[in-house]
Every structure is written in structure tokens, then in C-alpha cells.
Coordinates of all heavy atoms in Angstrom, one line a residue:
I79 N 0.9 -1.2 0.0 CA 0.0 0.0 0.0 C 0.9 1.2 0.0 O 1.8 1.3 0.8 CB -0.9 0.0 1.2 CG1 -1.9 -1.2 1.2 CG2 -1.7 1.3 1.3 CD1 -2.8 -1.3 2.3
I80 N 0.6 2.2 -0.8 CA 1.3 3.4 -1.0 C 0.7 4.5 -0.1 O -0.5 4.7 -0.2 CB 1.4 3.9 -2.5 CG1 1.9 2.8 -3.4 CG2 2.1 5.2 -2.6 CD1 1.7 3.0 -4.9
N81 N 1.5 5.1 0.7 CA 1.1 6.2 1.6 C 1.2 7.5 0.8 O 2.4 7.9 0.6 CB 1.8 6.2 2.9 CG 1.3 7.2 3.9 OD1 0.7 8.2 3.5 ND2 1.6 7.0 5.1
R82 N 0.2 8.2 0.4 CA 0.3 9.4 -0.4 C 1.2 10.4 0.4 O 1.9 11.2 -0.3 CB -1.1 10.1 -0.6 CG -1.9 9.2 -1.5 CD -3.3 9.9 -1.6 NE -3.3 11.2 -2.2 CZ -3.3 11.4 -3.5 NH1 -3.3 10.4 -4.4 NH2 -3.3 12.6 -4.0
E83 N 1.2 10.5 1.7 CA 2.0 11.4 2.4 C 3.5 11.2 2.4 O 4.3 12.0 2.7 CB 1.5 11.6 3.8 CG 0.0 12.1 3.9 CD -0.6 12.0 5.3 OE1 0.1 11.7 6.3 OE2 -1.8 12.2 5.4
E84 N 3.8 10.0 2.0 CA 5.3 9.6 2.0 C 5.9 9.6 0.5 O 7.1 9.4 0.4 CB 5.5 8.2 2.6 CG 5.2 8.2 4.1 CD 5.3 6.9 4.7 OE1 5.7 5.9 4.0 OE2 5.0 6.6 5.9
V85 N 5.1 9.9 -0.4 CA 5.6 9.9 -1.8 C 6.4 11.2 -2.0 O 6.0 12.3 -1.8 CB 4.4 9.9 -2.8 CG1 4.9 10.0 -4.3 CG2 3.6 8.6 -2.6
N86 N 7.7 11.0 -2.6 CA 8.5 12.1 -2.8 C 8.4 12.4 -4.3 O 8.6 11.6 -5.1 CB 9.9 11.7 -2.5 CG 11.0 12.7 -2.7 OD1 10.7 13.8 -3.4 ND2 12.2 12.6 -2.1
I87 N 8.0 13.6 -4.7 CA 7.9 14.0 -6.0 C 9.0 14.8 -6.6 O 9.0 15.3 -7.7 CB 6.5 14.8 -6.3 CG1 6.5 16.1 -5.4 CG2 5.4 14.0 -5.9 CD1 5.4 17.0 -5.8
S88 N 10.2 14.7 -5.9 CA 11.4 15.4 -6.5 C 12.1 14.5 -7.5 O 12.9 14.9 -8.2 CB 12.3 15.7 -5.4 OG 12.9 14.6 -4.7
F89 N 11.6 13.2 -7.6 CA 12.1 12.3 -8.7 C 10.9 11.3 -8.9 O 10.1 11.2 -8.1 CB 13.4 11.7 -8.2 CG 13.2 10.8 -7.0 CD1 13.0 9.5 -7.0 CD2 13.4 11.5 -5.7 CE1 12.9 8.7 -5.8 CE2 13.3 10.7 -4.6 CZ 13.0 9.4 -4.6
V90 N 11.1 10.5 -10.0 CA 10.0 9.6 -10.3 C 10.2 8.4 -9.4 O 11.3 7.8 -9.3 CB 10.1 9.1 -11.8 CG1 9.0 8.1 -12.2 CG2 10.0 10.3 -12.8
D91 N 9.1 8.0 -8.7 CA 9.1 6.9 -7.9 C 7.7 6.3 -7.9 O 6.8 6.8 -8.5 CB 9.5 7.3 -6.4 CG 10.0 6.2 -5.5 OD1 10.1 5.1 -6.0 OD2 10.3 6.4 -4.4
V92 N 7.6 5.2 -7.0 CA 6.2 4.6 -7.0 C 5.3 5.6 -6.3 O 5.6 6.3 -5.3 CB 6.3 3.3 -6.1 CG1 4.9 2.7 -5.9 CG2 7.3 2.3 -6.7
G93 N 4.1 5.8 -7.0 CA 3.1 6.8 -6.4 C 3.2 8.2 -7.1 O 2.5 9.0 -6.8
T94 N 4.0 8.3 -8.2 CA 4.1 9.5 -8.9 C 3.5 9.4 -10.3 O 3.3 8.3 -10.8 CB 5.6 10.0 -9.0 OG1 6.3 9.1 -9.8 CG2 6.2 10.2 -7.7
K95 N 3.2 10.6 -10.8 CA 2.7 10.7 -12.2 C 3.8 11.5 -12.9 O 4.1 12.6 -12.5 CB 1.4 11.4 -12.2 CG 0.8 11.6 -13.6 CD -0.5 12.3 -13.6 CE -1.2 12.6 -14.9 NZ -2.4 13.3 -14.8
V96 N 4.3 11.0 -14.0 CA 5.4 11.6 -14.7 C 4.8 12.1 -16.1 O 4.1 11.3 -16.7 CB 6.6 10.7 -14.9 CG1 6.2 9.4 -15.6 CG2 7.7 11.4 -15.7
T97 N 5.0 13.3 -16.5 CA 4.6 13.8 -17.8 C 5.8 14.1 -18.6 O 6.8 14.7 -18.2 CB 3.8 15.1 -17.6 OG1 2.6 14.8 -16.7 CG2 3.3 15.7 -18.9
L98 N 5.7 13.6 -19.9 CA 6.8 13.7 -20.8 C 6.4 14.6 -22.0 O 5.2 14.6 -22.4 CB 7.1 12.3 -21.3 CG 7.3 11.2 -20.3 CD1 7.3 9.8 -20.9 CD2 8.6 11.4 -19.6
E99 N 7.4 15.2 -22.6 CA 7.0 16.0 -23.8 C 8.2 15.6 -24.8 O 9.3 15.6 -24.5 CB 7.1 17.5 -23.4 CG 6.7 18.3 -24.7 CD 6.6 19.8 -24.3 OE1 7.0 20.2 -23.2 OE2 6.2 20.6 -25.2
S100 N 7.7 15.4 -26.1 CA 8.6 15.1 -27.2 C 9.0 16.4 -27.8 O 8.6 17.5 -27.5 CB 7.9 14.3 -28.3 OG 6.9 15.1 -28.9
E101 N 10.0 16.3 -28.7 CA 10.6 17.5 -29.3 C 9.5 18.2 -30.1 O 9.5 19.4 -30.4 CB 11.8 17.1 -30.3 CG 13.0 16.7 -29.5 CD 14.1 16.3 -30.4 OE1 14.0 16.3 -31.6 OE2 15.2 15.9 -29.8
S102 N 8.5 17.5 -30.6 CA 7.4 18.1 -31.4 C 6.3 18.7 -30.6 O 5.4 19.2 -31.1 CB 6.9 17.0 -32.3 OG 6.2 16.0 -31.6
G103 N 6.4 18.6 -29.3 CA 5.4 19.1 -28.3 C 4.3 18.2 -27.9 O 3.5 18.6 -27.1
E104 N 4.4 16.9 -28.3 CA 3.5 16.0 -27.9 C 3.7 15.6 -26.5 O 4.8 15.5 -26.0 CB 3.7 14.6 -28.8 CG 2.7 13.5 -28.4 CD 3.0 12.3 -29.4 OE1 4.0 12.4 -30.1 OE2 2.3 11.3 -29.1
K105 N 2.6 15.5 -25.7 CA 2.7 15.1 -24.3 C 2.1 13.9 -24.0 O 1.0 13.5 -24.5 CB 2.2 16.2 -23.4 CG 3.0 17.5 -23.3 CD 2.5 18.5 -22.3 CE 3.4 19.7 -22.3 NZ 3.0 20.7 -21.3
I106 N 2.6 13.1 -22.9 CA 2.0 11.9 -22.5 C 2.4 11.7 -21.0 O 3.4 12.1 -20.6 CB 2.5 10.6 -23.3 CG1 1.7 9.4 -22.9 CG2 4.0 10.4 -23.2 CD1 1.9 8.2 -24.0
S107 N 1.5 11.2 -20.3 CA 1.7 11.0 -18.8 C 1.5 9.6 -18.4 O 0.7 8.8 -19.0 CB 0.7 11.8 -18.0 OG 0.9 13.2 -18.2
Y108 N 2.3 9.1 -17.5 CA 2.1 7.7 -16.9 C 2.2 7.8 -15.4 O 2.9 8.6 -14.8 CB 3.4 6.8 -17.3 CG 3.4 6.5 -18.8 CD1 4.2 7.3 -19.6 CD2 2.7 5.5 -19.2 CE1 4.3 7.0 -20.9 CE2 2.7 5.2 -20.6 CZ 3.5 5.9 -21.5 OH 3.5 5.7 -22.8
E109 N 1.3 7.0 -14.8 CA 1.3 6.9 -13.3 C 2.2 5.6 -13.0 O 2.0 4.6 -13.6 CB -0.1 6.7 -12.7 CG -0.9 8.0 -12.9 CD -2.3 7.9 -12.3 OE1 -3.0 7.0 -12.8 OE2 -2.6 8.7 -11.4
I110 N 3.1 5.7 -12.1 CA 4.0 4.7 -11.7 C 3.4 4.1 -10.4 O 3.5 4.7 -9.3 CB 5.5 5.1 -11.5 CG1 5.9 6.0 -12.6 CG2 6.3 3.9 -11.3 CD1 5.8 5.4 -14.0
L111 N 2.9 2.9 -10.5 CA 2.3 2.3 -9.3 C 2.7 0.8 -9.1 O 3.6 0.4 -9.9 CB 0.7 2.3 -9.4 CG 0.2 3.7 -9.5 CD1 -1.3 3.7 -9.9 CD2 0.4 4.5 -8.2
G112 N 2.1 0.1 -8.2 CA 2.4 -1.3 -8.0 C 1.8 -2.2 -9.1 O 0.9 -1.8 -9.9
Q113 N 2.2 -3.5 -9.1 CA 1.8 -4.3 -10.2 C 0.3 -4.6 -10.1 O -0.3 -5.0 -11.1 CB 2.5 -5.7 -10.2 CG 2.5 -6.4 -8.9 CD 3.6 -7.5 -8.8 OE1 4.5 -7.6 -9.6 NE2 3.4 -8.5 -7.9
W114 N -0.4 -4.5 -9.0 CA -1.8 -4.8 -8.9 C -2.6 -3.6 -9.2 O -3.9 -3.7 -9.4 CB -2.2 -5.2 -7.5 CG -1.6 -6.6 -7.2 CD1 -2.2 -7.8 -7.5 CD2 -0.3 -6.9 -6.6 NE1 -1.4 -8.9 -7.1 CE2 -0.2 -8.4 -6.5 CE3 0.7 -6.2 -6.0 CZ2 0.9 -9.0 -6.0 CZ3 1.8 -6.9 -5.6 CH2 1.9 -8.2 -5.5
D115 N -2.0 -2.5 -9.5 CA -2.7 -1.2 -9.8 C -2.7 -0.9 -11.3 O -3.2 0.1 -11.8 CB -2.1 0.0 -9.1 CG -2.2 -0.2 -7.6 OD1 -3.3 -0.5 -7.1 OD2 -1.1 -0.1 -6.9
V116 N -2.1 -1.8 -12.1 CA -1.8 -1.6 -13.5 C -3.2 -1.4 -14.2 O -4.1 -2.2 -14.0 CB -1.0 -2.7 -14.1 CG1 -1.0 -2.6 -15.7 CG2 0.4 -2.7 -13.6
D117 N -3.3 -0.4 -15.1 CA -4.5 -0.2 -15.9 C -3.9 0.6 -17.2 O -3.8 1.8 -17.2 CB -5.5 0.7 -15.2 CG -6.8 0.8 -15.9 OD1 -6.8 0.6 -17.2 OD2 -7.8 1.1 -15.3
I118 N -3.6 -0.2 -18.2 CA -3.1 0.3 -19.4 C -3.9 1.5 -20.1 O -3.4 2.4 -20.5 CB -2.8 -0.8 -20.4 CG1 -1.8 -1.9 -19.9 CG2 -2.3 -0.2 -21.8 CD1 -0.5 -1.3 -19.4
A119 N -5.3 1.2 -20.0 CA -6.1 2.3 -20.5 C -6.0 3.6 -19.8 O -6.2 4.7 -20.5 CB -7.6 1.8 -20.4
K120 N -5.6 3.6 -18.6 CA -5.4 4.9 -17.9 C -3.9 5.3 -17.8 O -3.5 6.2 -17.0 CB -6.0 4.8 -16.4 CG -7.5 4.6 -16.4 CD -8.0 4.5 -15.0 CE -9.5 4.4 -15.0 NZ -10.0 4.2 -13.6
N121 N -3.1 4.6 -18.5 CA -1.6 4.8 -18.4 C -1.0 4.6 -17.0 O -0.1 5.3 -16.6 CB -1.3 6.2 -19.0 CG -1.2 6.2 -20.5 OD1 -1.4 5.2 -21.2 ND2 -1.0 7.3 -21.1
R122 N -1.6 3.7 -16.3 CA -1.0 3.3 -15.0 C -0.2 2.1 -15.2 O -0.7 1.0 -15.6 CB -2.2 2.9 -14.0 CG -3.0 4.1 -13.6 CD -4.0 3.8 -12.6 NE -4.5 5.0 -12.0 CZ -5.5 5.0 -11.1 NH1 -6.1 3.9 -10.7 NH2 -5.9 6.2 -10.7
I123 N 1.1 2.2 -14.9 CA 2.1 1.1 -15.2 C 2.8 0.7 -13.9 O 2.8 1.5 -12.9 CB 3.1 1.5 -16.3 CG1 3.9 2.7 -15.8 CG2 2.4 1.7 -17.6 CD1 5.1 3.1 -16.8
S124 N 3.3 -0.5 -13.8 CA 4.0 -1.0 -12.7 C 5.4 -0.5 -12.7 O 6.0 -0.4 -13.8 CB 4.0 -2.5 -12.7 OG 4.9 -3.0 -11.7
Y125 N 6.0 -0.2 -11.5 CA 7.4 0.1 -11.5 C 8.3 -1.1 -11.8 O 9.4 -0.9 -12.1 CB 7.7 0.7 -10.1 CG 7.7 -0.2 -9.0 CD1 8.7 -0.9 -8.4 CD2 6.4 -0.5 -8.3 CE1 8.7 -1.8 -7.4 CE2 6.4 -1.3 -7.2 CZ 7.5 -2.0 -6.8 OH 7.4 -2.9 -5.7
H126 N 7.7 -2.3 -11.8 CA 8.4 -3.5 -12.2 C 8.6 -3.7 -13.7 O 9.4 -4.5 -14.2 CB 7.8 -4.7 -11.6 CG 8.0 -4.9 -10.1 ND1 9.2 -5.1 -9.5 CD2 7.1 -4.8 -9.1 CE1 9.0 -5.1 -8.2 NE2 7.7 -5.0 -7.9
S127 N 7.6 -3.0 -14.4 CA 7.6 -3.2 -15.9 C 8.8 -2.5 -16.6 O 9.5 -1.6 -16.0 CB 6.4 -2.6 -16.5 OG 6.4 -1.1 -16.4
P128 N 9.2 -3.0 -17.8 CA 10.3 -2.4 -18.4 C 10.2 -0.9 -18.7 O 11.1 -0.2 -18.4 CB 10.3 -3.1 -19.8 CG 9.7 -4.5 -19.5 CD 8.7 -4.1 -18.5
L129 N 8.9 -0.5 -19.0 CA 8.7 1.0 -19.1 C 8.8 1.7 -17.8 O 9.4 2.7 -17.7 CB 7.3 1.2 -19.8 CG 6.9 2.7 -20.1 CD1 7.9 3.3 -21.0 CD2 5.6 2.7 -20.7
G130 N 8.2 1.2 -16.7 CA 8.3 1.8 -15.4 C 9.7 1.9 -14.9 O 10.1 2.9 -14.4
K131 N 10.6 0.9 -15.2 CA 12.0 0.9 -14.8 C 12.8 2.1 -15.5 O 13.7 2.6 -14.9 CB 12.7 -0.4 -15.1 CG 12.2 -1.5 -14.1 CD 12.8 -2.8 -14.4 CE 12.3 -3.9 -13.5 NZ 13.0 -5.2 -13.9
V132 N 12.4 2.4 -16.7 CA 13.0 3.5 -17.4 C 12.8 4.8 -16.7 O 13.8 5.7 -16.6 CB 12.4 3.6 -18.9 CG1 12.8 4.9 -19.6 CG2 12.8 2.5 -19.7
F133 N 11.7 5.0 -16.1 CA 11.4 6.2 -15.4 C 12.0 6.4 -13.9 O 12.2 7.5 -13.5 CB 9.9 6.5 -15.3 CG 9.2 6.6 -16.6 CD1 8.1 5.8 -16.9 CD2 9.7 7.4 -17.6 CE1 7.4 5.9 -18.2 CE2 9.1 7.5 -18.9 CZ 7.9 6.7 -19.1
L134 N 12.0 5.3 -13.2 CA 12.5 5.4 -11.8 C 13.8 6.2 -11.6 O 14.7 6.1 -12.4 CB 12.7 4.0 -11.3 CG 11.4 3.2 -11.1 CD1 11.8 1.8 -10.5 CD2 10.4 3.9 -10.1
D135 N 13.7 7.0 -10.6 CA 14.8 7.9 -10.2 C 15.2 9.1 -11.1 O 16.1 9.8 -10.9 CB 16.0 7.1 -9.9 CG 15.9 6.1 -8.7 OD1 15.1 6.4 -7.9 OD2 16.4 5.0 -8.9
K136 N 14.3 9.2 -12.2 CA 14.6 10.4 -13.1 C 14.0 11.6 -12.5 O 13.1 11.6 -11.7 CB 14.0 10.1 -14.5 CG 14.5 8.9 -15.2 CD 15.9 9.1 -15.8 CE 16.4 8.1 -16.7 NZ 16.9 6.9 -16.2
K137 N 14.5 12.8 -12.9 CA 14.1 14.1 -12.4 C 13.6 14.9 -13.6 O 13.8 14.6 -14.8 CB 15.2 14.8 -11.7 CG 15.7 14.0 -10.5 CD 16.8 14.8 -9.8 CE 17.2 14.0 -8.5 NZ 18.2 14.6 -7.8
I138 N 12.9 16.0 -13.3 CA 12.5 17.0 -14.3 C 13.7 17.5 -15.1 O 14.7 17.7 -14.5 CB 11.7 18.1 -13.7 CG1 10.4 17.7 -13.0 CG2 11.5 19.2 -14.7 CD1 9.7 18.7 -12.3
G139 N 13.5 17.4 -16.4 CA 14.6 17.8 -17.3 C 15.4 16.6 -17.9 O 16.0 16.8 -18.9
D140 N 15.3 15.5 -17.2 CA 16.0 14.2 -17.7 C 15.3 13.9 -19.0 O 14.1 14.0 -19.2 CB 16.0 13.2 -16.8 CG 16.9 13.4 -15.5 OD1 17.7 14.3 -15.6 OD2 16.8 12.6 -14.6
K141 N 16.0 13.2 -19.9 CA 15.5 12.7 -21.2 C 15.5 11.2 -21.2 O 16.4 10.6 -20.5 CB 16.3 13.2 -22.3 CG 16.2 14.7 -22.5 CD 16.9 15.2 -23.7 CE 16.7 16.7 -23.8 NZ 17.3 17.3 -25.0
V142 N 14.5 10.5 -21.8 CA 14.4 9.1 -21.9 C 14.0 8.8 -23.4 O 13.4 9.6 -24.0 CB 13.3 8.5 -20.9 CG1 13.7 8.7 -19.5 CG2 11.9 9.1 -21.2
V143 N 14.5 7.6 -23.7 CA 14.1 7.2 -25.1 C 13.1 6.0 -24.9 O 13.4 5.1 -24.2 CB 15.3 6.7 -25.9 CG1 14.9 6.1 -27.2 CG2 16.3 7.8 -26.1
L144 N 11.9 6.2 -25.5 CA 10.8 5.2 -25.5 C 10.6 4.6 -26.8 O 10.6 5.4 -27.8 CB 9.6 5.9 -24.9 CG 9.7 6.5 -23.5 CD1 8.3 7.0 -23.1 CD2 10.1 5.5 -22.4
E145 N 10.2 3.4 -26.8 CA 9.7 2.8 -28.1 C 8.3 2.6 -28.0 O 7.8 1.9 -27.2 CB 10.4 1.4 -28.4 CG 10.1 0.9 -29.7 CD 10.9 -0.3 -30.1 OE1 12.0 -0.6 -29.5 OE2 10.4 -1.1 -30.9
I146 N 7.5 3.4 -28.8 CA 6.1 3.4 -28.8 C 5.5 3.1 -30.2 O 6.0 3.8 -31.1 CB 5.4 4.7 -28.2 CG1 5.9 5.0 -26.8 CG2 3.9 4.6 -28.3 CD1 5.5 6.3 -26.2
S147 N 4.8 2.0 -30.3 CA 4.3 1.6 -31.6 C 5.4 1.4 -32.6 O 5.4 1.6 -33.8 CB 3.3 2.7 -32.2 OG 2.2 2.9 -31.4
G148 N 6.4 0.8 -32.1 CA 7.6 0.3 -33.0 C 8.5 1.4 -33.3 O 9.5 1.2 -34.1
R149 N 8.3 2.6 -32.8 CA 9.2 3.7 -33.2 C 9.9 4.3 -31.9 O 9.2 4.5 -30.9 CB 8.5 4.9 -33.9 CG 7.9 4.4 -35.1 CD 7.3 5.6 -35.9 NE 6.5 6.5 -35.0 CZ 5.6 7.3 -35.4 NH1 5.3 7.4 -36.6 NH2 5.0 8.0 -34.5
K150 N 11.2 4.5 -32.0 CA 11.9 5.1 -30.9 C 11.8 6.6 -30.9 O 12.0 7.2 -32.0 CB 13.3 4.7 -30.8 CG 13.5 3.2 -30.4 CD 14.9 2.9 -30.2 CE 15.1 1.4 -29.9 NZ 16.4 1.0 -29.7
K151 N 11.6 7.2 -29.8 CA 11.4 8.7 -29.7 C 12.0 9.2 -28.4 O 11.8 8.5 -27.4 CB 10.0 9.1 -29.9 CG 9.7 10.6 -30.0 CD 8.3 10.9 -29.9 CE 7.6 10.8 -31.3 NZ 6.2 11.4 -31.2
E152 N 12.6 10.3 -28.4 CA 13.2 10.9 -27.2 C 12.1 11.8 -26.6 O 11.5 12.6 -27.2 CB 14.5 11.7 -27.5 CG 15.2 12.2 -26.2 CD 16.5 12.9 -26.5 OE1 16.4 14.1 -26.8 OE2 17.5 12.2 -26.4
W153 N 12.0 11.7 -25.3 CA 11.1 12.5 -24.5 C 11.8 13.1 -23.3 O 12.8 12.6 -22.7 CB 10.0 11.5 -23.9 CG 9.2 10.8 -24.9 CD1 9.5 9.7 -25.6 CD2 7.9 11.2 -25.3 NE1 8.5 9.4 -26.4 CE2 7.5 10.2 -26.4 CE3 7.0 12.2 -25.1 CZ2 6.3 10.3 -27.0 CZ3 5.8 12.2 -25.7 CH2 5.4 11.3 -26.6
K154 N 11.3 14.3 -22.9 CA 11.9 15.0 -21.8 C 10.8 15.0 -20.7 O 9.6 15.2 -20.9 CB 12.2 16.4 -22.2 CG 12.8 17.3 -21.1 CD 13.1 18.7 -21.6 CE 13.6 19.6 -20.5 NZ 13.8 21.0 -21.1
I155 N 11.3 14.7 -19.5 CA 10.5 14.8 -18.3 C 10.1 16.2 -18.0 O 11.1 17.0 -17.7 CB 11.0 14.0 -17.1 CG1 11.1 12.6 -17.5 CG2 10.2 14.2 -15.9 CD1 11.8 11.7 -16.5
V156 N 8.8 16.7 -18.0 CA 8.5 18.0 -17.8 C 7.8 18.3 -16.4 O 7.7 19.4 -15.9 CB 7.7 18.6 -18.9 CG1 8.5 18.7 -20.2 CG2 6.4 17.8 -19.2
S157 N 7.2 17.2 -15.9 CA 6.7 17.4 -14.6 C 6.5 16.0 -13.8 O 6.4 14.9 -14.5 CB 5.2 18.0 -14.6 OG 4.3 17.1 -15.1
I158 N 6.6 16.1 -12.5 CA 6.4 14.9 -11.6 C 5.4 15.4 -10.5 O 5.6 16.4 -9.9 CB 7.7 14.4 -11.0 CG1 8.7 14.1 -12.1 CG2 7.5 13.3 -10.1 CD1 10.1 14.0 -11.6
E159 N 4.4 14.6 -10.3 CA 3.4 15.0 -9.3 C 2.9 13.7 -8.7 O 3.2 12.6 -9.1 CB 2.3 15.8 -10.0 CG 1.5 15.1 -11.1 CD 0.6 16.1 -11.9 OE1 -0.5 16.3 -11.4 OE2 1.0 16.4 -13.0
L160 N 2.0 13.8 -7.7 CA 1.4 12.7 -7.1 C 0.4 12.1 -8.0 O -0.3 12.7 -8.7 CB 0.6 13.2 -5.8 CG 0.7 12.4 -4.6 CD1 2.1 12.3 -4.1 CD2 -0.2 12.9 -3.6
A161 N 0.5 10.7 -8.1 CA -0.4 9.9 -8.9 C -1.8 10.0 -8.3 O -2.0 10.3 -7.1 CB 0.0 8.5 -9.0
D162 N -2.8 9.8 -9.2 CA -4.2 9.9 -8.8 C -4.7 8.5 -8.2 O -5.5 7.9 -8.8 CB -5.1 10.3 -9.9 CG -4.8 11.7 -10.4 OD1 -4.5 12.5 -9.5 OD2 -5.0 11.9 -11.6
F163 N -4.2 8.0 -7.2 CA -4.6 6.8 -6.6 C -5.2 7.0 -5.2 O -5.0 8.0 -4.6 CB -3.4 5.8 -6.5 CG -2.3 6.3 -5.6 CD1 -2.3 5.9 -4.2 CD2 -1.3 7.1 -6.0 CE1 -1.4 6.3 -3.3 CE2 -0.3 7.6 -5.1 CZ -0.3 7.2 -3.8
E164 N -6.0 6.0 -4.8 CA -6.6 6.1 -3.5 C -5.9 5.2 -2.5 O -5.4 4.2 -2.8 CB -8.1 5.6 -3.7 CG -8.9 6.5 -4.5 CD -9.3 7.8 -3.8 OE1 -9.5 7.8 -2.6 OE2 -9.4 8.8 -4.5

């Protein structure tokens, strides 16, 4: 169980929502949660997943390369906030 009051949003960790922006200005957000909270339709991913592991410990301004729909694209982390979980 994730305690909202203990989530540190100075870096990507379990319980955070990370927003990324591509060079073209496209934005996408993911919530990093536990494996039982996964909901692909809501972009809720597990910190154990390959994608979740890419984000862990990253900070605002860091860049990541993601492969989405078979294409690799570089994204910049533009915000980290508390995930919308109960």
C-alpha cells in the first residue's frame, strides 16, 4: 500500500505521475504504481515493468528514449506529481 503522504515528487518513484514531452510538443503521462494497480487504458504502469523501470529515479529535465508503436522517440520529463490513486 502506498502512503500518499510519503511519496517524494522530487524524482520519479512509486506513487508519482510523470509527464513527458517530445521535441514536437506531444505530451504523455504515466502513473507509476504497483503491479496490482496496472491499468493500461489509464496509463497506469507498474514500477516493475520495463517501461516503469526506465522512469524510476529520473528528475524533471531528464531525457528518456521510449519505443512506442515500434518507433523510438526521445522524451523530456516536464513534470512529476502525485499519482491519482486512492
